[in-house]
Amino acid sequence: MLSIIIVLLNLLIETSVSLTVVVPPDPIVAHVGSTVILPCWISPPENAEALEIRWYRQDQFSNPVLLYNQGKIQDVQEESYRNRSSLALRSDQSGGLKDGDVSLRLEKLRVQDGGLFHCYVSGEHSYGSEEMTLKITALGSAPVLSPKSLDGGRVNISCRSSGWYPEPSVSWTSDEGRVLRPGGTSHTRGADEMISVHSWTTVSLSDAQLVSCSVSLRPGELKEGSLDIQGIVSSGPSDSSGLWKALFLTFLICSLLGLFGLILYRYKHKQTDREEETLERLLKAVVEDMNIEELRQHAVEITIDRERSHPDLKVSKDCKIMRDNPEYKPTGEGFPYQLCAYGAQGFTSGRHYWEVQLKLENTPPKNFWMIGVVKEENLPTRDSSALTASAGFWFLCSDGPYGFCTNTDPLIRFSLTPRPERLGVLLDYDHGQLSFYNVTERKHLLTISCRFSGSLVPLFNPGVGDKSPLKILDLPKPAEPDEPSQPLLSNMAAVELDVKASDNL
Ligand SMILES: *[C@@H]1O[C@H](CO)[C@@H](O)[C@H](O)[C@H]1NC(C)=O
Ligand SMILES: *[C@@H]1O[C@H](CO)[C@@H](O)[C@H](O)[C@H]1NC(C)=O
């Protein structure tokens, strides 16, 4: 009789102590490389410290992502989750295991982590299990746009971007959001599962100016690139003021930052003599307008502040020449934005001009560099994501095969040919302008307009792996008005000597 009662009682306990496990109904979405928390909890709350908690992938019950048992995390685990998985709080308010929160934290997410996860909790008499989906996405690189001119005043524009997951979609627009039909779009999957995309479209020069390519996973998760086609190819009969307009790029970026760029290109094909002439005259006008001597009236001596430069930079004794330490291996891909050095001179008003040499004799011009100014109060920074205009960074960057860019949002990439061998920088603090010049070609490249505040210091980054170092030039004292071209020549001689000195690096 007594044993029957005990059996009945046991049955009663078993059925009443049921474990209900709860997970969110919708899939969790996270980026490659990020950390995610997969929430899972016991409802109503129950202390889970003495329970078994097992997170596992489909059909991998005995090879779990994480196993907690007998009060601690056990050392049985699918190899790829070692050191990447742990138990975590599903929110700040959570009481943790004591309150039945058995959420899983996964770090350094990979594409392969996408799919079903089972949250299994088991006590002595009962267990509960639920499954949830983790979706992995990866936001790729900023699209690079490149134009190719076709017959009949049309341009074929290519847009390329890599590092996406899953397959992104591509859309094209021109001025004021007019939608352009893509001519073709193709995706390729790399060995690392990441997807590259290439799309092209053709536009007529007469009905588009700024063409944008947007690569997106879903609304709000996109990267965009733009190209001013009028600035690249000029055609059709036009007076010089029209051409002038065409040569100026105008980008409206954000309320803080406007960018005016001037990119000069020679249109090689299908041009009538008359147009050739107009362009020729215009280029000359630009050259004459670009009076280097006038800029050099504002020359200031710039030296590198060693204390604040990145530890992996080599800086010469005179604090003028810098390059990457040959042993330095950048972490991550892409431009090594963190590798910065800063000028020792700060500016709070007025006009200041300096020049930077980007080419040694008998070597091609540097492929990687970043030159500009930064608000002194924001130094030093080791974090590349902090290099925004709103954080007080303004620069022109050369990113090797990816062309040139400024830190605008969205990022605008463009080509500059020829690649600058010597770059002039004019900071006009009072007018809120930072201008860049190709000194060798005597061309204005572009001007970034912004509202400056506080003390600004010059910013330099020599990139990684270039043969030539980056060198701040000693400019001659501002020229006397009666000998306009003399300083330029004597400066050339000085450069040759300086370049030899830089071999000591
Ligand atoms: C996990 O971390 C330990 C020590 O922190 C390390 O020795 C081991 O190689 C790591 N395992 C993996 C797979 O990363
Ligand atoms: C445009 O260029 C792409 C390659 O970038 C090419 O595949 C495509 O055929 C070109 N289209 C036209 C109409 O020339």
Side-chain angles (χ1 to χ4, degrees):
M1 186 62 184
L2 193 68
S3 60
I4 290 175
I5 290 173
I6 289 174
V7 167
L8 278 178
L9 217 68
N10 258 342
L11 272 176
L12 209 73
I13 290 168
E14 255 177 52
T15 43
S16 64
V17 189
S18 73
L19 257 175
T20 306
V21 173
V22 185
V23 295
D26 296 323
I28 302 277
V29 183
H31 281 159
V32 166
S34 70
T35 296
V36 72
I37 290 180
L38 304 184
C40 178
W41 62 97
I42 303 167
S43 176
E46 178 184 327
N47 191 332
E49 284 175 320
L51 304 180
E52 173 186 324
I53 302 159
R54 187 185 289 262
W55 279 93
Y56 64 97
R57 306 294 306 268
Q58 196 74 336
D59 305 326
Q60 297 290 319
F61 187 85
S62 53
N63 195 17
V65 174
L66 180 135
L67 176 63
Y68 171 95
N69 206 346
Q70 291 157 359
K72 62 181 206 299
I73 292 177
Q74 301 296 317
D75 193 20
V76 279
Q77 196 166 37
E78 146 77 282
E79 191 55 33
S80 65
Y81 290 104
R82 190 173 296 274
N83 298 355
R84 292 205 294 138
S85 61
S86 54
L87 290 174
L89 305 182
R90 70 185 160 106
S91 75
D92 292 345
Q93 286 82 43
S94 163
L97 277 182
K98 275 196 174 62
D99 266 350
D101 183 354
V102 299
S103 301
L104 174 73
R105 176 189 160 97
L106 272 185
E107 296 167 37
K108 303 190 189 94
L109 287 177
R110 307 164 315 156
V111 165
Q112 293 81 357
D113 293 332
L116 277 183
F117 280 78
H118 295 262
C119 172
Y120 170 94
V121 182
S122 150
E124 216 164 293
H125 301 291
S126 59
Y127 74 93
S129 179
E130 279 298 335
E131 61 183 42
M132 65 188 305
T133 303
L134 175 62
K135 279 195 175 157
I136 302 291
T137 64
L139 212 52
S141 59
V144 176
L145 281 79
S146 49
K148 214 183 318 163
S149 46
L150 305 172
D151 292 352
R154 297 182 71 76
V155 194
N156 180 358
I157 304 171
S158 267
C159 170
R160 289 172 203 275
S161 174
S162 56
W164 294 87
Y165 193 87
E167 263 184 25
S169 59
V170 180
S171 62
W172 289 91
T173 49
S174 72
D175 325 82
E176 282 125 42
R178 202 157 52 81
V179 175
L180 300 174
R181 215 150 47 88
T185 300
S186 58
H187 295 89
T188 46
R189 189 178 292 262
D192 56 356
E193 297 287 307
M194 298 296 214
I195 294 163
S196 301
V197 62
H198 171 222
S199 181
W200 60 270
T201 190
T202 58
V203 291
S204 168
L205 278 168
S206 55
D207 54 37
Q209 167 125 21
L210 198 65
V211 174
S212 304
C213 165
S214 166
V215 185
S216 68
L217 291 172
R218 51 178 184 166
E221 277 205 297
L222 57 87
K223 290 281 175 85
E224 198 169 44
S226 306
L227 187 72
D228 185 307
I229 58 168
Q230 303 291 335
I232 286 155
V233 193
S234 34
S235 77
S238 49
D239 60 8
S240 74
S241 80
L243 257 174
W244 265 113
K245 255 189 232 154
L247 286 164
F248 276 96
L249 307 179
T250 308
F251 302 116
L252 292 175
I253 284 82
C254 63
S255 58
L256 259 183
L257 184 88
L259 182 128
F260 301 93
L262 164 63
I263 300 179
L264 294 172
Y265 279 87
R266 291 294 309 277
Y267 182 41
K268 299 247 159 56
H269 314 287
K270 307 272 168 202
Q271 228 174 6
T272 66
D273 287 352
R274 198 185 143 263
E275 282 158 3
E276 191 84 57
E277 249 173 52
T278 318
L279 196 64
E280 207 71 65
R281 211 173 60 231
L282 199 86
L283 284 170
K284 227 165 142 217
V286 172
V287 170
E288 280 163 6
D289 267 5
M290 232 299 292
N291 187 338
I292 298 272
E293 280 62 49
E294 209 171 290
L295 293 172
R296 287 184 176 162
Q297 297 290 325
H298 308 287
V300 279
E301 173 157 11
I302 304 288
T303 49
I304 294 298
D305 181 347
R306 288 167 164 279
E307 298 292 302
R308 289 190 298 201
S309 65
H310 192 279
D312 287 302
L313 285 179
K314 285 174 124 185
V315 178
S316 67
K317 273 213 186 70
D318 63 357
C319 296
K320 295 276 192 183
I321 310 168
M322 81 208 72
R323 69 166 311 142
D324 52 311
N325 190 333
E327 276 91 62
Y328 178 63
K329 294 277 173 293
T331 52
E333 286 184 8
F335 190 88
Y337 287 104
Q338 68 285 355
L339 215 55
C340 285
Y342 309 100
Q345 295 74 17
F347 306 111
T348 52
S349 67
R351 284 191 185 144
H352 309 279
Y353 178 77
W354 58 95
E355 286 178 14
V356 185
Q357 182 73 21
L358 299 166
K359 179 188 190 306
L360 275 186
E361 224 180 335
N362 303 325
T363 57
K366 278 177 74 62
N367 279 311
F368 300 95
W369 47 262
M370 181 168 107
I371 292 170
V373 295
V374 54
K375 219 168 149 173
E376 191 162 13
E377 68 190 44
N378 296 345
L379 298 182
T381 184
R382 297 273 181 270
D383 179 9
S384 62
S385 63
L387 305 184
T388 62
S390 48
F393 285 80
W394 297 275
F395 55 78
L396 176 62
C397 175
S398 168
D399 191 6
Y402 298 106
F404 293 79
C405 64
T406 65
N407 59 332
T408 50
D409 188 20
L411 188 80
I412 294 173
R413 288 184 184 266
F414 44 88
S415 330
L416 292 177
T417 39
R419 197 166 259 287
E421 299 179 1
R422 195 191 299 182
L423 192 77
V425 184
L426 179 71
L427 168 67
D428 188 343
Y429 193 106
D430 305 330
H431 293 97
Q433 291 187 334
L434 181 68
S435 304
F436 296 94
Y437 302 88
N438 182 332
V439 177
T440 344
E441 300 274 311
R442 303 185 141 239
K443 276 189 203 165
H444 169 235
L445 299 174
L446 83 160
T447 294
I448 298 174
S449 298
C450 25
R451 214 165 294 153
F452 297 133
S453 66
S455 171
L456 298 183
V457 298
L459 163 74
F460 306 94
N461 181 323
V464 169
D466 275 341
K467 277 209 181 105
S468 303
L470 185 155
K471 175 169 172 33
I472 305 166
L473 294 170
D474 287 317
L475 293 181
K477 289 279 168 283
E480 295 302 320
D482 57 340
E483 40 169 324
S485 60
Q486 204 50 38
L488 188 57
L489 290 171
S490 62
N491 190 57
M492 293 281 214
V495 172
E496 274 176 27
L497 288 175
D498 291 340
V499 161
K500 287 208 186 75
S502 72
D503 289 342
N504 303 335
L505 270 184

